[in-house]
């Protein structure tokens, strides 16, 4: 198949209707400029969606029409048969002076007349107007493949009126909300693109297969990374530098900070791996993990990890006001200290080498003589670390690239069965006691993968049950 045969679509519509938002979400690119102000997009810019280095879709973001009525009256000035209308549009483009008089129209009609399809965006909250009709009529004159998208914006008050109108000008009409769309909504829209013209059917199928393969790989990768992150948090400890209570207090503060920083790092890693680079995301990011989020029982309640729901907690409920840290000499703590002290470099390496931490690092010199704070032994801790990580992973996964607000870590209870809780706590215990084996690692990764898959499928099913397909 010719490399250039992938679909190219020019995104057209009135200012502020969510054109750029649609481009951003469909191309998974958060560098597309979006803002509540009209006229944000000032020139026609192409954005490509690539998988494994191959361009599979190009969307051309445009400012839309500025002088649609004048253009239409120029086109209609001469009587032409329907079959000659595309030539009339070409004549419009070739007319001297038009690039200066109609810069926006020329910018958007040129790529269309060079073979791009049309993705026309309307706001479902506003009723169709004569100006819209002029735009749609011009687009019909181009004779190019055409798809209309109703962006529900705030309400879908005029959806039916739009459906009746759009149906007269476009081959397909779809409802698509770029701020909430996840994979099923994107797939539905892409399917419609694939049906616009026979030559796009195969490239769109390839694109959809590519996305499915990419997401499967992403699921495997993130499950391994999340399992590794969880294990590292559970093994984290810091050396106590000064003897006595003050030394312990300081070490405890350092440990808390290190846990928070690690959580933030994991979150940031996912964020940039999945293309959410936008600056406002960083600036507004509410990850204030310098407070005692992880250790605070209030937070556990927030996370739905109520004590009565947890196993083993009653035995240590007295300690549930905060920390149950293990400041000990030698043994596992010591080993864990060595690991989280950066000797390992990356847990990915450990996962890949499939070596037991105990065997690999047991020989470390001098470590035996250092006193360490940690790892955290509180029985809620493994559950809280896992619940938080699974939640922000899911939130990031489902986040469309047009959504630029801060990621707010929502309090969502994990519906873990007793059995799941026991398994997690069992793994935590093994890790902390140095009885961790590759088979446990495999089981943990599979468990994480199943959890993520389930929650993503739930979100997709929910999206499919809403009325985004006409
Ligand atoms: N509530 C809501 N807001 C949306 C939706 N889609 C886009 N917006 C918001 O509408 C505003 C305009 O979105 P853009 O994507 O910049 O619109 P545009 O059509 O490219 O605008 P111009 O480039 O100015 O022509 C932004 O603040 C978006 O966040 C939607 O489905 N619902
Ligand atoms: Mg725009």
């Amino acid at each position: 198949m010719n490399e250039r045969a992938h679909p190219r679509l020019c995104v057209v519509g009135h200012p502020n209707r969510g054109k750029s938002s649609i481009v951003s979400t469909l191309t998974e690119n958060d560098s597309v400029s979006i803002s509540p102000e009209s006229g944000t997009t000032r020139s026609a810019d192409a954005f490509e969606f690539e998988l494994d280095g191959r361009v599979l879709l190009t969307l051309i973001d445009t400012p839309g029409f500025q002088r649609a009525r004048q253009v239409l009256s120029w086109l209609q000035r001469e009587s032409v048969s329907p079959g000659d209308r595309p030539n009339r549009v070409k004549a419009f483009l070739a007319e001297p002076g038009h690039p200066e008089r109609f810069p926006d129209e020329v910018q958007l009609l040129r790529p269309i007349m060079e073979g791009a399809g049309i993705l026309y965006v309307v706001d479902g909250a506003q009723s169709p107007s004569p100006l819209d009709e002029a735009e749609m009529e011009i687009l019909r004159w181009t004779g190019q493949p055409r798809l209309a998208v109703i962006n529900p914006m705030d309400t879908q008050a005029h959806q039916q009126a739009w459906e009746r109108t759009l149906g007269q000008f476009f081959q397909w009409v779809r409802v698509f909300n770029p701020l909430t769309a996840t994979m099923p909504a994107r797939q539905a829209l892409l399917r419609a693109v694939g049906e616009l013209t026979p030559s796009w059917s195969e490239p769109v199928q390839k694109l959809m297969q590519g996305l499915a393969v990419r997401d499967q790989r992403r699921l495997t990768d993130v499950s391994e990374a999340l399992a590794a992150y969880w294990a590292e948090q559970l093994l984290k400890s810091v050396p106590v530098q000064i003897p006595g209570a003050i030394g312990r207090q300081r070490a405890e503060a350092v440990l808390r900070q290190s846990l928070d920083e690690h959580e933030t790092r994991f979150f940031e890693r996912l964020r940039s791996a999945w293309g959410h680079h936008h600056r406002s995301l960083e600036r507004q990011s509410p990850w204030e993990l310098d407070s005692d989020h992880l250790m605070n029982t209030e937070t556990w309640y927030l996370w739905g990890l109520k004590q009565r729901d947890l196993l083993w907690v009653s035995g240590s409920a007295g300690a549930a006001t905060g920390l149950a840290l293990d400041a000990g000499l030698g043994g596992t703590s010591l080993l864990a200290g060595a690991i989280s002290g950066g000797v390992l470099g990356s847990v990915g390496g450990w996962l890949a080498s499939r070596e037991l931490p105990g065997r690999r690092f047991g020989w470390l010199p001098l470590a035996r003589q250092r006193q360490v704070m940690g790892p955290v032994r509180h029985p809620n801790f493994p559950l809280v670390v896992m619940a938080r990580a699974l939640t922000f992973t899911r939130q990031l996964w489902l986040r469309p690239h047009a959504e630029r607000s801060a990621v707010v870590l929502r309090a969502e209870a994990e519906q873990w069965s007793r059995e799941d809780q026991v398994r997690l706590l069992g793994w935590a215990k093994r890790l902390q006691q140095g009885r961790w084996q590759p088979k446990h690692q495999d089981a943990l990764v599979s468990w994480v993968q199943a959890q993520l898959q389930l929650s993503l499928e739930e979100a997709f099913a929910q999206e499919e049950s809403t009325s985004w397909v006409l």
Side-chain angles (χ1 to χ4, degrees):
M1 163 108 0
N2 180 345
E3 281 280 327
R4 299 171 69 187
H6 70 266
R8 284 170 66 83
L9 291 156
C10 202
V11 183
V12 188
H14 285 332
N16 233 25
R17 295 300 194 266
K19 300 183 295 297
S20 301
S21 303
I22 289 176
V23 172
S24 171
T25 291
L26 289 180
T27 59
E28 300 187 2
N29 184 338
D30 74 347
S31 72
V32 181
S33 300
I34 294 173
S35 98
E37 277 155 41
S38 258
T40 302
T41 306
R42 292 177 183 276
S43 60
D45 293 316
F47 293 91
E48 292 176 333
F49 179 66
E50 276 183 30
L51 277 178
D52 297 325
R54 291 193 57 194
V55 179
L56 298 176
L57 177 72
T58 301
L59 294 181
I60 302 156
D61 193 15
T62 73
F65 288 97
Q66 301 302 319
R67 309 181 67 194
R69 274 194 263 238
Q70 288 92 326
V71 174
L72 186 61
S73 64
W74 188 94
L75 293 174
Q76 289 170 334
R77 205 172 293 159
E78 284 176 21
S79 119
V80 287
S81 66
D84 274 333
R85 284 175 181 168
N87 283 334
R88 181 74 181 143
V89 179
K90 283 183 185 157
F92 170 85
L93 290 173
E95 183 79 6
H98 276 184
E100 290 76 38
R101 261 184 81 199
F102 301 103
D104 292 305
E105 283 71 19
V106 167
Q107 272 199 76
L108 75 85
L109 288 171
R110 187 162 283 147
I112 293 173
M113 297 321 292
E114 285 167 0
I118 296 158
L119 200 157
Y120 187 63
V121 183
V122 303
D123 175 0
Q126 300 190 17
S127 57
S129 71
L131 185 58
D132 297 307
E133 204 183 318
E135 296 185 356
M136 294 186 286
E137 185 62 9
I138 297 168
L139 295 173
R140 185 158 62 178
W141 277 53
T142 67
Q144 283 300 103
R146 297 182 298 288
L147 163 79
V149 166
I150 303 174
N151 182 356
M153 298 296 260
D154 297 321
T155 70
Q156 303 185 36
H158 299 282
Q159 186 172 325
Q160 285 182 350
W162 271 117
E163 283 167 31
R164 284 194 301 273
T165 313
L166 293 166
Q168 300 172 38
F169 295 89
F170 296 88
Q171 287 147 279
W172 287 102
V173 181
R174 286 282 180 272
V175 175
F176 185 81
N177 183 335
L179 296 189
T180 58
T182 62
M183 207 38 97
R186 280 175 59 186
Q187 282 167 336
L189 195 60
L190 290 173
R191 266 197 299 276
V193 170
E195 287 171 19
L196 284 178
T197 161
S199 65
W200 283 351
S201 151
E202 201 186 318
V204 166
Q205 247 168 26
K206 273 199 180 141
L207 167 55
M208 307 236 293
Q209 279 162 5
L211 280 170
V213 169
R214 191 272 314 261
D215 281 0
Q216 191 53 47
R217 203 168 48 211
R218 180 177 281 188
L219 183 67
T220 317
D221 290 350
V222 76
S223 303
E224 283 179 5
L226 200 156
Y229 156 77
W230 181 78
E232 237 192 14
Q233 291 292 61
L234 288 184
L235 292 175
K236 188 156 280 177
S237 62
V238 299
V240 178
Q241 309 279 16
I242 311 166
I246 290 179
R248 284 172 58 90
Q249 256 173 24
R250 279 195 194 162
E252 185 183 312
V254 172
L255 178 60
R256 281 168 194 261
Q257 196 183 346
S258 158
L259 291 165
D260 286 351
E261 281 170 2
H262 194 178
E263 187 183 57
T264 308
R265 268 202 312 280
F266 181 59
F267 171 78
E268 302 267 324
R269 230 175 77 200
L270 288 189
R271 202 193 62 165
S272 51
W274 295 350
H276 294 281
H277 308 290
H278 202 264
R279 270 175 44 228
S280 74
L281 194 67
E282 279 167 52
R283 201 174 59 245
Q284 294 172 16
S285 178
W287 290 101
E288 290 160 3
L289 295 177
D290 51 344
S291 58
D292 57 356
H293 276 115
L294 280 175
M295 308 297 180
N296 185 334
T297 37
E298 290 297 313
T299 315
W300 298 335
Y301 293 142
L302 255 187
W303 281 87
L305 299 171
K306 294 201 178 66
Q307 283 186 6
R308 63 184 159 77
D309 296 334
L310 292 168
L311 287 181
W312 300 2
V313 170
S314 55
S316 59
T321 44
L323 297 169
L325 293 169
D326 174 35
L329 270 173
T332 323
S333 305
L334 194 145
L335 180 65
I339 287 170
S340 60
V343 180
L344 187 58
S346 96
V347 166
W350 161 56
L351 280 170
S353 73
R354 308 181 63 76
E355 294 228 25
L356 301 186
R359 291 206 194 125
R360 198 165 173 201
F361 295 101
W363 47 267
L364 280 175
L366 297 178
R368 215 167 289 274
Q369 290 155 28
R370 291 163 82 193
Q371 198 187 23
V372 293
M373 178 66 72
V376 180
R377 300 282 194 194
H378 194 286
N380 274 3
F381 183 70
L383 302 171
V384 173
V385 175
M386 182 60 83
R388 290 173 65 98
L390 279 174
T391 301
F392 64 63
T393 301
R394 178 177 53 226
Q395 280 178 252
L396 270 178
W397 187 303
L398 295 171
R399 165 171 279 249
H401 288 71
E403 175 55 75
R404 308 284 168 82
S405 62
V407 174
V408 179
L409 196 54
R410 286 192 307 265
E412 276 175 17
E414 289 290 347
Q415 303 295 320
W416 286 327
S417 64
R418 247 176 117 76
E419 196 192 348
D420 279 330
Q421 294 183 28
V422 171
R423 290 176 90 185
L424 268 176
L425 295 176
W427 286 320
K429 217 169 163 185
R430 282 194 166 273
L431 265 173
Q432 294 188 333
Q433 292 175 350
R435 295 186 294 116
W436 190 247
Q437 292 173 19
K439 67 177 181 194
H440 303 123
Q441 182 188 310
D442 291 342
L444 172 64
V445 172
S446 304
W447 184 87
V448 169
Q449 184 163 335
Q451 293 292 316
L452 272 175
Q453 195 155 7
L454 197 70
S455 64
L456 292 172
E457 276 165 10
E458 274 172 16
F460 295 155
Q462 202 179 347
E463 180 166 53
E464 272 171 344
S465 69
T466 58
S467 60
W468 45 263
V469 183
L470 292 177

